[in-house]
Amino acid sequence: MLLYKSMKQPRVNRIFKLLLLIIGVVSLLLLAFVGYVFFKSPAAIRFPQFEHAHFRMQLLVNGKAENFGHEAYQASYKPQQCSDELTKEPIHFHDKKDQFVHLHWKKLTGGMVLKYYGWNKIGGLEEVLGYRFDGVWHFQPVPIYGSVLPALSKDTTLYVYSGDETHFKRRDLNDFLLQDVETFFNKASNVQPEESISWFDALSSKVIAHDDEAPGLKAETTKNPEKSPEELTRINNLLGNVVLFAQKDEPTQEEIKARFAKLVPLSDSTCGG
């Protein structure tokens, strides 16, 4: 009996040491994975901050304009959402509206927008924009919406222009891909991280005050007079307009001008997804 016990003890020790080794290896692999995805994830994705800004984007592939109002790009959302609650998805198209890109996280870039819909021009992790690290329960991937943009041939070049109906200019592709949208358009969002007010308050209160309406009345009420372009830009928190041509040769000035003449109109609205 004593001999049996003495033989059994080393066996238990070996099993215990093997378990510790397995746990150690798994822990190291997990830490290596977490470290890898942390450094491969952009800061805007690792620690997302609330935003509700927009920009108009037109994309032409070999002369054919992509319709972002198509069902393939449309996402569901909570209408009339005026809170500062951080959304699960950083980017949206909705209401079957073309061109109007909704940005719900701060410091997103044009490259992230393209990658979100299938054109990865910025590298990083595949099939995701990155991983969130903004809480114990928020270590999770931020998947792309899908590969819905049309496929490009190898000789395709992206030509980028920003501006409006009256003035536009060619921009550096890398600036669009890598700069956050506020920097690219050289315009600050109405919603700033240090502000604790809601999306509705941030974008509509000044308009209401100009219209001499009672406090708390929504700016989209039919009693309000028609808004000026400047007021509509502020209400929609519009950062700018961009037109991208995906083709072999540079577009002509007439082609560029024609696209900026087709910007979708801004709506008199303060809330939404």
Side-chain angles (χ1 to χ4, degrees):
M1 182 64 71
L2 290 175
L3 179 62
Y4 173 75
K5 287 183 178 181
S6 62
M7 292 176 63
K8 185 177 180 181
Q9 188 64 35
R11 182 181 178 186
V12 172
N13 289 338
R14 287 196 299 270
I15 294 174
F16 181 69
K17 289 179 180 179
L18 180 61
L19 288 174
L20 287 179
L21 179 62
I22 292 173
I23 292 172
V25 170
V26 170
S27 298
L28 287 174
L29 290 175
L30 180 60
L31 285 173
F33 171 76
V34 171
Y36 174 75
V37 299
F38 181 89
F39 288 108
K40 295 290 283 187
S41 301
I45 304 302
R46 291 198 303 258
F47 303 105
Q49 294 177 302
F50 170 80
E51 175 62 280
H52 197 150
H54 309 91
F55 71 94
R56 285 182 289 206
M57 181 174 71
Q58 297 184 70
L59 174 60
L60 290 90
V61 180
N62 295 320
K64 182 180 179 182
E66 192 69 6
N67 179 14
F68 296 115
H70 190 275
E71 189 65 31
Y73 293 97
Q74 297 297 293
S76 60
Y77 73 102
K78 296 178 182 179
Q80 299 304 315
Q81 180 178 336
C82 298
S83 72
D84 57 0
E85 178 183 355
L86 189 69
T87 59
K88 182 179 179 181
E89 297 83 12
I91 306 160
H92 282 162
F93 285 107
H94 56 68
D95 290 337
K96 298 182 178 179
K97 196 170 184 177
D98 189 18
Q99 301 184 18
F100 215 59
V101 184
H102 297 250
L103 303 173
H104 289 280
W105 293 7
K106 274 282 183 186
K107 300 298 182 181
L108 299 178
T109 70
M112 292 179 193
V113 174
L114 294 183
K115 182 176 179 179
Y116 194 64
Y117 293 100
W119 284 1
N120 185 5
K121 303 292 183 180
I122 56 176
L125 300 166
E126 293 298 326
E127 303 301 322
V128 296
L129 291 182
Y131 277 71
R132 292 179 63 169
F133 286 81
D134 56 328
V136 176
W137 305 111
H138 279 161
F139 170 59
Q140 58 184 350
V142 179
I144 65 170
Y145 178 83
S147 296
V148 289
L149 287 170
L152 298 177
S153 59
K154 292 183 178 180
D155 62 349
T156 299
T157 300
L158 277 180
Y159 300 94
V160 183
Y161 302 84
S162 66
D164 56 28
E165 303 92 333
T166 61
H167 177 76
F168 54 82
K169 61 181 179 179
R170 183 173 174 181
R171 304 292 302 275
D172 186 275
L173 174 60
N174 283 332
D175 286 348
F176 177 71
L177 295 178
L178 303 177
Q179 290 180 350
D180 68 81
V181 178
E182 290 179 79
T183 300
F184 177 76
F185 288 116
N186 193 29
K187 184 173 182 180
S189 168
N190 294 343
V191 179
Q192 296 302 321
E194 66 271 13
E195 292 180 335
S196 59
I197 59 176
S198 69
W199 153 248
F200 172 77
D201 291 334
L203 301 188
S204 67
S205 59
K206 294 180 181 179
V207 176
I208 293 170
H210 280 290
D211 292 336
D212 295 324
E213 297 286 355
L217 185 62
K218 292 182 179 179
E220 62 263 30
T221 176
T222 56
K223 293 181 180 180
N224 283 350
E226 185 176 348
K227 300 293 186 299
S228 69
E230 292 76 16
E231 287 176 312
L232 289 174
T233 296
R234 182 172 67 250
I235 290 171
N236 286 273
N237 200 11
L238 184 74
L239 301 179
N241 311 297
V242 65
V243 178
L244 295 90
F245 293 84
Q247 55 196 46
K248 184 177 180 180
D249 300 316
E250 186 175 354
T252 65
Q253 288 295 301
E254 290 73 20
E255 290 172 326
I256 304 167
K257 184 177 180 180
R259 295 319 305 183
F260 278 103
K262 295 183 179 180
L263 294 172
V264 294
L266 300 177
S267 60
D268 184 4
S269 174
T270 56
C271 300

